[in-house]
Amino acid sequence: MISAPRVVDLSAEIRGAWCGRLLAEQGADVVLVESRSGHPLRSVGPFVGGVPDPEKSLVFAHYCAGRRSVVLDPADEAGRARLAGLAGWADVALVDRADRLALADAAAAANPRLIVATVTCFGRTGPDRAREGGDLVATAAGGLAALTGDPARAPLRPGGHQGEHVAGLHAAVAITAAVLTRDLGAGVASIDVSAQECVASVLENAMEFALLDGRRVARQNGRHPISWPGRVFPCRDGYVVISCGSAAEARACFDLVGDAAMAGHAVLEDRDTRRAAADWLEPLLIDGLLKHDEIDLFERGQALGIPIGRVLDARSLLDDPQLAARSFFREIDHPAIGRFTDVGSPFVVDGAAPSLRRAPLLGEHTAEVEKMLEGVSR
Amino acid sequence: MKRARLLDGIHVVELTTAFAGPYAGKLLGDLGADVVRVESARRPDIMRGYPPSLLPDGPERSGSFSSINRNKRSVALDLKTPGGRGAIARLIERADVLIENFTPRVLPSLGLDPATLHATNPRLVICRMPGFGLDGPHAAYRSYGPTLEGQAGLAALTGYPGEAPLRMGCSYPDMVGGVTAAFAVLSALRRRIGTGRGAAIELPQQRAAAALTGTAVAEWTASRRIAERAGNAHAWHVPHGTYRCAGDDRWIAISVRDETGWRALAEIAGLPPMDLSARQRARASIDEAIERWTIGQDADVLAGALCARGIEAQPIRGALDLVRDPHIAARGFIESIDHPLHGARPYAGPPWRIAGVAIDPHRPAPRLGEHTDEVLGEIGYTPDDIAALRAEEALT
């Protein structure tokens, strides 16, 4: 039986923490190294109770779930020895800030077989390599903020730390490929992931327009650049999002709101003509949508073959019958936070969603891990 | 001594369309796997017509297709013919991985349901990427990336404060669905070393995107608070925003995440001393003061000056800026790929550098059916067999 990959998690940002959670969810044994004051995400809210408390940060509880916590201080001799012990035990060391690369180097020195994975904001080479940043900087640097929002107003970072998520996801891919390759007999020494480049990799075709055509895809206030309708629309009691690729789908949108004249209009026939006419088509469609409710539009729209979705928030997401039917959400019992619900695994393997242990209390496993390391000789 | 190759000998079959499935295959191909796309001129992948175009028309014109399908081989099979069905079954029989992102009914309708596939190839890792799920009340519903942004809870988190939800400027759920699928596949391949058995992965794109809503669900259930759309603001990091600079649509992102960063910014921008709670109360006036200070300045120069003082800052870069960015150039992120019909063209490379193993240079995206004979030969078809399939019109 092959053992679970062992990861020493030296992360400080959401991207590394998210990568660690993804790996843990797939069975990796992840040990989180914290300072005495705790992982930096412990000081980021929202906090349960509204007051900063290192055991009540939902950011830490969410992103750092699935691992054990060890407190050590690399500035002192004992801390360095403990870190070297962990590095000797691990298959992978994970670092996500430029100012922590010395930790990665120290870990590598302690274990020549260690895969050192860094997922810094700008990567380990190039003139900007020492620049730090979290989600705002990553989405600004990688081209996503420039594409999001109103062209007349400030570019927007998408909600929910997406720049950090794409970096953590790509890092998890590269790390898993490296571990797999090593288990097949070949050694990977290091992985250098750039959050900026990860963001630039998920821009749909904006990079291709820039590289191949010298053209800039401007932000369009949520409108799809190529097809119409393709955006969030208001309706009577909320919002729906519609994204049509074909003339038949666009026609069906006007059928959905009972506008037979527009449904038969010749302007809808061609994709580029439809998109060019968006400014006068849109108010007509919105007029119709405002007379109907979100769920009604979603159900009838789907029956008409329209790619239409509701705009779910955290509350309605929990009520979504599809996610509920596939047991997506996870109930967490946390000693300081109490009971709460978290999003679950992004996928299911052989019909089962993996379990994931709750986020650790600060230093909860220091003694346990110390004992484990005493028994390790590699 | 020849260096070992990454993902050496891993064979992936892709039965995919649009972005999500192909992006998973692209990442696996970038990591050294052999990725074979099965496609048909009778029902071409919509990506083969997706802009920008590099040729006036035809299935080889799309620059987007070329980007997301680099490194892969293409086998043309009409899966409506018995010969086409037989060939895909044999191809999958010897594969390590099958990735598909059609609606749930397509695979079984081709006789390729997971139980049948595992009966002949128990080591196969099957990754299916339906929009909503293989079953469940919305299994047959239609979705594209933008509609899933709504259904996954992401659109509700994006937008200016107090205004309507906004979709992002890219088909984000498609792309992250693809990365997640690559991760799922690699995780299953690693487990297979121990168990000898493959896996059936169900990766609904709604689910994969909903997993990226951060703390929104936790916050609602733990505190009965719905995370509001906040533009660029961050409840615990102030200031945190994008600010107009000199020039047409030039902006700088500035993020202050601790008191050291704040003191440095206050000093250079001439702002008064304030602790976090004071800044949280005065968020709007701080943002206004910063923009009065940035608006006449060059975004690149200012970002350099702020970073030099340890303040997190970055000009807002569009894709066109990235193409000319010295840091991006120094890292070699943009690579040239020579295509027989397009010539040498620049593309973004993978977002990682991996040391210690060999990775072959990237090859151009395949022409439709370019590798049909080659791949069929590898799985045991003789030239006569292939000629017979061609006569049957199975290879188109």
Side-chain angles (χ1 to χ4, degrees), chain B residues 68-80:
Chain B
I68 204 165
N69 291 293
R70 68 170 170 229
N71 268 337
K72 300 177 189 175
R73 297 193 286 172
S74 167
V75 172
L77 294 177
D78 182 350
L79 300 178
K80 292 209 157 54

Side-chain angles (χ1 to χ4, degrees), chain A residues 24-25 29 69 132 154 157 163 177 217 282 286 316 323 363:
Chain A
E25 209 159 46
D29 185 353
S69 163
E132 306 284 4
R157 76 173 177 130
V217 178
E282 222 146 81
I286 290 172
S316 44
L323 291 171

Side-chain angles (χ1 to χ4, degrees), chain B residues 18-302:
Chain B
F19 281 99
Y23 191 54
K26 174 184 184 173
L27 294 175
L28 296 173
D30 281 349
L31 291 164
D34 167 39
V35 182
V36 172
R37 281 179 63 75
V38 174
E39 43 186 344
S40 171
R42 297 231 161 92
R43 274 196 73 182
D45 180 359
I46 58 164
M47 285 304 290
R48 285 197 173 271
Y50 211 71
S53 286
L54 294 168
L55 299 171
D57 50 32
E60 311 305 340
R61 70 179 183 273
S62 168
S64 293
F65 179 90
S66 297
S67 173
I68 204 165
N69 291 293
R70 68 170 170 229
N71 268 337
K72 300 177 189 175
R73 297 193 286 172
S74 167
V75 172
L77 294 177
D78 182 350
L79 300 178
K80 292 209 157 54
T81 64
R85 300 267 188 107
I88 194 167
R90 262 164 87 169
L91 191 57
I92 295 172
E93 224 174 282
R94 69 177 268 286
D96 299 286
V97 178
L98 170 67
I99 299 174
E100 69 98 1
N101 69 327
F102 289 94
T103 56
R105 63 191 157 74
V106 171
L107 215 56
S109 78
L110 296 169
L112 301 173
D113 58 283
T116 308
L117 297 176
H118 276 147
T120 52
N121 180 2
R123 290 175 55 79
L124 183 68
V125 172
I126 304 168
C127 183
R128 303 184 65 187
M129 306 172 66
F132 289 101
L134 296 175
D135 55 42
H138 299 164
Y141 282 16
R142 302 198 54 200
S143 67
Y144 285 127
T147 64
L148 290 169
E149 242 179 271
Q151 286 287 136
L154 292 172
L157 297 172
T158 299
Y160 297 96
E163 297 184 23
L166 209 55
R167 67 171 285 271
M168 292 177 218
C170 64
S171 213
Y172 184 74
D174 285 329
M175 308 306 292
V176 291
V179 199
T180 309
F183 173 60
V185 162
L186 291 166
S187 299
L189 284 172
R190 198 218 174 229
R191 279 191 294 268
R192 189 181 74 167
I193 299 173
T195 63
R197 303 196 64 81
I201 298 161
E202 177 187 356
L203 194 147
Q205 292 175 54
Q206 179 197 22
R207 183 183 183 112
L212 302 176
T213 49
T215 54
V217 168
E219 193 178 4
W220 166 246
T221 57
S223 305
R224 292 290 164 216
R225 266 198 75 248
I226 290 290
E228 284 167 16
R229 287 180 286 284
N232 292 310
H234 188 294
W236 297 88
H237 299 149
V238 189
H240 192 270
T242 57
Y243 305 92
R244 202 183 279 276
C245 291
D248 178 27
D249 198 30
R250 306 309 287 185
W251 303 78
I252 187 167
I254 299 175
S255 156
V256 166
R257 298 193 295 163
D258 56 28
E259 296 314 296
T260 317
W262 164 251
R263 280 191 293 274
L265 179 68
E267 191 188 332
I268 187 174
L271 301 166
M274 292 167 109
D275 65 11
L276 176 61
S277 62
R279 298 203 303 277
Q280 285 170 319
R281 289 191 300 273
R283 189 186 295 278
S285 61
I286 294 172
D287 281 345
E288 283 164 22
I290 293 174
E291 192 155 286
R292 278 197 300 276
W293 176 68
T294 61
I295 200 157
Q297 303 199 55
D298 178 89
D300 284 288
V301 174
L302 181 57

Side-chain angles (χ1 to χ4, degrees), chain A residues 34-40 42-43 54 71 362:
Chain A
E34 302 197 62
S35 67
R36 286 189 189 93
S37 58
H39 192 282
R42 288 187 185 274
S43 59
V71 168
L362 179 58

